[in-house]
Amino acid sequence: MSNNTQILILDNDLTSLTTLERLLHSLGEVTYFSNEIDFINYIKINTNPGLIIIDTNSPRFNGYDILSKVKNNPLLKDVPVLLSIKDTIKDESMIQLASAHDYLFKPYRYTLVQNRVKSYLELKQVKDQLKDQTRWVENEVTKRIYDLQLTFDLSIDIVTQLVETRDPDNAQHISRTRSYYEIIMRRLQKNEKYQSIIDEKYIIRTVKASPLHDIGKMGIPENILMKNEKLSSDEYDIAKTHTTIGYNTIKNVVDTSFLNDLLKTNATSDSSEFFKEALNIAKYHHEYWDGSGYPEGLKADDIPLSARVMAIVDVFDALSNKRVYKEAWSIDKTMHYIKSQSGTQFDPDVVNAFLLEQDAIRKTWESSRN
């Protein structure tokens, strides 16, 4: 038993205090009080004693009221509390009603008091050790999760930056669209219609997935991707396959990992939900609200929400910046185009969110030119 264990005693009977101090000093540091005011003030700032003993026979204070105050302090919830009582059946039943851990009979019996106090002190120390171990494990898990998340995020950034290197005029497309995407998604979150869908976790995972929307372009031949004039019909059909190439690339990675089993069930995890949205964004960000888009001709709400948001930010950035096949449109002209396509190419709710945030969109667009 550690001598650093603190035993608090509240009893205004000096004889009893002296007896307890003599019986228990070998088990730890004994601190005693003869009045409830000093005791209550003390436990407000000393919240981890090994054990508390409260007398229930004092004419100066009500031991059961003091016990209630101790029990109502959440910082003392793991501290064993013993009540000292007279050797009567009535007092013993009161102990049970008061929810004390145990009791000590007066006059004190040497062996009984020592053994009972020692047992509770040991139990308290075991609980404290378990809490310390639990905190250590939680801290280690948090560190590991942070390291894994950092590695994951950096890996995504490396892949998406690699996509950007294929088009010098498009070098900041991914970082800009990610910013636009988050702005619009946070505005949509304020719409009552979407509050049950868009929580903080949804925003975080879809923002992180958004840079993967054009990963399929790595599979498009350079002579088509970098052509500085209008594509032929056949070339355009090939260019459109970047949606399914991206989808299949991500899916093939998932299919060879443990995530494949998760995606086939209703089980949820941050990783499985991320890849579900990455698949949605990669495949469906060229679907049109009126059903005339590709690759599947999905219509309206059948198009995943994350892809509907990605559709607008992708087009906005493509039109408002130079490409090998076109000059940049002015931001006003681009915004007018987005507005004109509400209900045809784009989801009207997403267009509305875009227009409500046009100042923030404009600032992001302007900052990319500095």
Side-chain angles (χ1 to χ4, degrees), residues 6-14 17 30-44 46 49 52-55 58 60-61:
Q6 188 176 42
I7 303 167
L8 303 185
I9 303 172
L10 174 60
D11 194 331
N12 74 307
D13 183 342
L14 293 179
L17 287 172
V30 178
T31 304
Y32 51 84
F33 302 87
S34 59
N35 70 82
E36 74 277 18
I37 295 176
D38 290 342
F39 174 79
I40 294 298
N41 288 335
Y42 185 84
I43 62 174
K44 287 179 180 178
N46 296 273
I52 295 173
I53 299 174
I54 300 173
D55 181 45
S58 173
R60 297 184 181 178
F61 55 80

Side-chain angles (χ1 to χ4, degrees), residues 27-299:
L27 300 179
E29 176 189 348
V30 178
T31 304
Y32 51 84
F33 302 87
S34 59
N35 70 82
E36 74 277 18
I37 295 176
D38 290 342
F39 174 79
I40 294 298
N41 288 335
Y42 185 84
I43 62 174
K44 287 179 180 178
I45 57 175
N46 296 273
T47 56
N48 194 34
L51 180 136
I52 295 173
I53 299 174
I54 300 173
D55 181 45
T56 63
N57 307 300
S58 173
R60 297 184 181 178
F61 55 80
N62 186 318
Y64 297 103
D65 287 344
I66 302 299
L67 171 64
S68 179
K69 292 179 181 178
V70 171
K71 299 287 283 184
N72 288 333
N73 185 339
L75 298 176
L76 296 170
K77 65 183 179 67
D78 294 327
V79 179
V81 181
L82 310 185
L83 297 185
S84 57
I85 64 172
K86 293 177 181 177
D87 196 352
T88 66
I89 295 177
K90 178 181 177 181
D91 284 340
E92 192 170 345
S93 64
M94 284 292 291
I95 296 295
Q96 295 173 351
L97 291 173
S99 300
H101 290 82
D102 214 330
Y103 51 87
L104 302 171
F105 287 129
K106 279 188 173 183
Y108 296 124
R109 302 165 193 173
Y110 182 89
T111 303
L112 181 63
V113 169
Q114 274 209 330
N115 288 341
R116 190 161 293 179
V117 169
K118 182 179 180 181
S119 295
Y120 279 105
L121 287 174
E122 289 175 342
L123 179 61
K124 174 66 164 51
Q125 285 192 336
V126 169
K127 286 184 176 179
D128 286 348
Q129 288 171 358
L130 287 174
K131 283 199 297 186
D132 289 341
Q133 290 173 0
T134 300
R135 279 193 292 267
W136 181 85
V137 170
E138 289 175 347
N139 288 336
E140 286 299 304
V141 169
T142 300
K143 290 178 183 177
R144 295 288 179 89
I145 290 174
Y146 174 80
D147 288 343
L148 288 172
Q149 188 63 60
L150 181 61
T151 301
F152 177 79
D153 290 347
L154 288 174
S155 298
I156 295 295
D157 284 345
I158 290 170
V159 171
T160 52
Q161 290 292 330
L162 184 60
V163 175
E164 288 184 339
T165 61
R166 297 199 67 191
D167 185 352
D169 289 334
N170 198 17
Q172 296 184 47
H173 172 70
I174 289 175
S175 58
R176 285 193 303 263
T177 53
R178 178 165 47 193
S179 297
Y180 299 147
Y181 183 98
E182 182 171 0
I183 290 169
I184 295 174
M185 192 62 77
R186 291 196 178 280
R187 168 56 68 170
L188 270 180
Q189 187 184 31
K190 298 176 182 179
N191 185 328
E192 186 176 352
K193 177 179 176 181
Y194 297 99
Q195 286 176 353
S196 63
I197 302 172
I198 306 174
D199 57 13
E200 188 63 22
K201 284 188 174 182
Y202 180 87
I203 293 174
I204 290 172
R205 65 173 168 260
T206 58
V207 168
K208 286 183 177 181
S210 65
L212 294 172
H213 69 282
D214 274 345
I215 192 172
K217 286 185 176 179
M218 293 294 292
I220 303 301
E222 186 118 343
N223 65 306
I224 293 177
L225 192 66
M226 301 299 294
K227 188 174 181 180
N228 59 6
E229 56 189 45
K230 185 177 180 179
L231 298 179
S232 68
S233 177
D234 289 341
E235 290 171 333
Y236 183 54
D237 285 341
I238 293 173
K240 289 194 295 184
T241 63
H242 79 275
T243 55
T244 50
I245 291 172
Y247 173 86
N248 290 328
T249 299
I250 298 170
K251 189 174 184 299
N252 288 339
V253 172
V254 172
D255 285 347
T256 57
S257 74
F258 74 94
L259 287 169
N260 185 41
D261 293 332
L262 277 177
L263 290 171
K264 290 179 180 178
T265 69
N266 291 324
T268 59
S269 72
D270 287 344
S271 296
S272 64
E273 291 302 307
F274 168 84
F275 281 105
K276 283 179 183 178
E277 294 301 340
L279 289 165
N280 286 337
I281 290 172
K283 190 172 188 178
Y284 301 120
H285 68 284
H286 283 289
E287 298 287 0
Y288 283 16
W289 183 253
D290 64 5
S292 62
Y294 64 86
E296 295 183 4
L298 298 183
K299 185 176 182 180

Side-chain angles (χ1 to χ4, degrees), residues 342-365:
S342 177
T344 52
Q345 184 173 355
F346 304 126
D347 177 349
D349 288 338
V350 181
V351 172
N352 185 55
F354 175 88
L355 295 174
L356 288 172
E357 292 291 343
Q358 60 183 295
D359 289 342
I361 298 289
R362 187 184 294 270
K363 286 180 181 177
T364 302
W365 179 82

Side-chain angles (χ1 to χ4, degrees), residues 12-23:
N12 74 307
D13 183 342
L14 293 179
T15 301
S16 297
L17 287 172
T18 302
T19 301
L20 284 176
E21 201 282 332
R22 178 170 53 82
L23 292 177

